[in-house]
Amino acid sequence: MPSGTISSSPETVGVAVVNYPAVVVESREEVLENARSIARYVEGIKRGYPGCDLIVFPEYSLQGFHPTKWPELVTSVDGPEVEVLAEACVRNGVWGVFSLTGEENPDGNPWNSLLLIDDEGEVVMNYHKINPWVPQEPWAPGSETMVVEGPKGLKIGGTICYDCNIPEIVRDTVMKGAELVVRIQGYMHPSSEQQRNVQMVRAWENLTYFAAANMAGRDLVYSYFGNSMIVDFDGSIMAECGPTPGEVQYALLDIGAIRDARRHWTAENHLYNLVHRGYTAVPEGGVAPCPYEFYRTWVEDPGAAVKRSEGITRSFALEEAPGR
């Protein structure tokens, strides 16, 4: 899809990704003020890119990840911060992807959540990160992938940061119909090159558009590399930020093009080929049953899958320092 425009059309979805500056807040009042800052970004981006339909902000962009005060900064989907974000979407006629880290969880530790808010201010997706980063993140893990219909009918799935190092999450999201997989992340150095590659590969292997928004700059612990990007369903980069905080990139996603590719591509149609193995050799459409023994074990006997994993890795998450 050509890039370089600030418009869109009925057949294309304009998507912006934001290198939001790394956040350091120490009170709920400061979180609320930061929500107002994000709302100002929404207003400015929509003004500058009038064709924009969807704006994606990074993980940790609302509450940050304060190493000691994070429990005091937890909020809820019906809290005042989300109200500010929803009002910004309505006022500017745009959809937004935002981060709650964390979201109140009545049954335990908070969730790390991705919210998709539509242009009428409704939260249409609340995805909980399935794979919090071991061993650092304290968030309760989610249990399901999510896909909803987004602007102009484009189907959108949500993922968060470390999730996408686990290829099964993107595959499951796409198999639920996602045409755009959104990844919000707070990823730090030294993993910049690996994460750029992950995003291109996930797009290519799943025939999906991919939009990743990352923080940029430094908080109290890490330096974040930015590089927010939008990737075409052939794995090529359509638009990419550099490392500078506050950068925004914009690209158009062609709805018809991805649907055409999924229907008509053959040798590189990974989604079809996955369940039609040996199509040419085996009559009646090839072989469909899963050939991967580990996945069958994981479904049927999770405890055995854990033992298999620990048998080739380790039985602990974090090595104790000497003397502890």
Side-chain angles (χ1 to χ4, degrees):
M1 185 73 192
S3 60
T5 183
I6 61 173
S7 60
S8 66
S9 72
E11 294 78 33
T12 59
V13 175
V15 177
V17 290
V18 184
N19 268 10
Y20 198 71
V23 173
V24 179
V25 289
E26 299 196 341
S27 67
R28 282 289 300 276
E29 290 77 16
E30 291 181 0
V31 172
L32 184 58
E33 181 53 41
N34 187 47
R36 298 186 184 107
S37 173
I38 293 172
R40 290 190 288 271
Y41 266 75
V42 171
E43 182 175 359
I45 291 168
K46 183 62 177 180
R47 180 179 292 120
Y49 301 89
C52 186
D53 299 296
L54 173 68
I55 303 173
V56 185
F57 289 87
E59 180 189 34
Y60 292 113
S61 54
L62 179 63
Q63 294 141 290
F65 189 23
H66 196 289
T68 60
K69 294 188 176 182
W70 64 264
E72 303 169 28
L73 308 179
V74 171
T75 186
S76 63
V77 175
D78 58 0
E81 301 89 353
V82 176
E83 183 178 350
V84 168
L85 303 177
E87 288 173 354
C89 290
V90 173
R91 190 166 58 250
N92 294 284
V94 70
W95 295 53
V97 172
F98 306 101
S99 168
L100 288 190
T101 44
E103 178 196 347
E104 290 177 355
N105 174 10
D107 298 319
N109 273 29
W111 291 297
N112 182 337
S113 305
L114 176 156
L115 302 185
L116 174 61
I117 300 177
D118 69 14
D119 55 1
E120 296 182 351
E122 296 298 320
V123 176
V124 296
M125 181 192 295
N126 180 10
Y127 165 74
H128 297 152
K129 188 175 187 177
I130 291 175
N131 281 278
W133 187 36
V134 176
Q136 299 285 34
E137 290 189 315
W139 317 118
S143 58
E144 62 175 330
T145 56
M146 291 187 178
V147 177
V148 301
E149 186 171 297
K152 300 175 182 174
L154 183 73
K155 295 180 177 63
I156 299 174
T159 65
I160 302 177
C161 201
Y162 190 83
D163 273 343
C164 289
N165 294 321
I166 309 298
E168 292 81 5
I169 285 184
V170 178
R171 178 57 53 84
D172 192 72
T173 301
V174 167
M175 285 300 191
K176 285 184 174 180
E179 297 162 322
L180 166 64
V181 174
V182 172
R183 182 191 198 189
I184 63 172
Q185 57 184 346
Y187 235 118
M188 70 297 292
H189 290 293
S191 299
S192 57
E193 194 60 27
Q194 291 91 335
Q195 297 311 313
R196 292 179 76 254
N197 290 335
V198 161
Q199 285 147 192
M200 291 184 282
V201 169
R202 295 289 170 267
W204 166 241
E205 68 190 4
N206 291 289
L207 286 183
T208 186
Y209 290 116
F210 204 98
N214 192 27
M215 290 204 298
R218 181 169 180 80
D219 62 11
L220 296 176
V221 178
Y222 289 118
S223 294
Y224 302 89
F225 52 79
N227 292 128
S228 299
M229 64 166 62
I230 301 167
V231 186
D232 210 338
F233 56 81
D234 66 356
S236 59
I237 295 175
M238 304 173 73
E240 182 179 12
C241 297
T244 306
E247 285 189 65
V248 176
Q249 270 286 11
Y250 178 76
L252 298 181
L253 310 187
D254 188 321
I255 301 172
I258 188 171
R259 293 177 182 174
D260 181 82
R262 288 182 175 182
R263 181 165 182 81
H264 296 291
W265 281 18
T266 54
E268 305 302 337
N269 196 326
H270 317 302
L271 305 178
Y272 180 88
N273 297 344
L274 179 69
V275 292
H276 295 81
R277 296 182 296 109
Y279 178 92
T280 304
V282 181
E284 307 299 329
V287 179
C290 175
Y292 307 115
E293 190 270 339
F294 174 74
Y295 292 110
R296 296 197 301 270
T297 299
W298 193 5
V299 170
E300 296 168 3
D301 189 348
V306 169
K307 290 180 180 178
R308 179 82 59 86
S309 169
E310 291 183 351
I312 61 172
T313 58
R314 59 191 190 184
S315 60
F316 53 88
L318 184 64
E319 263 184 305
E320 291 292 326
R324 282 189 182 176

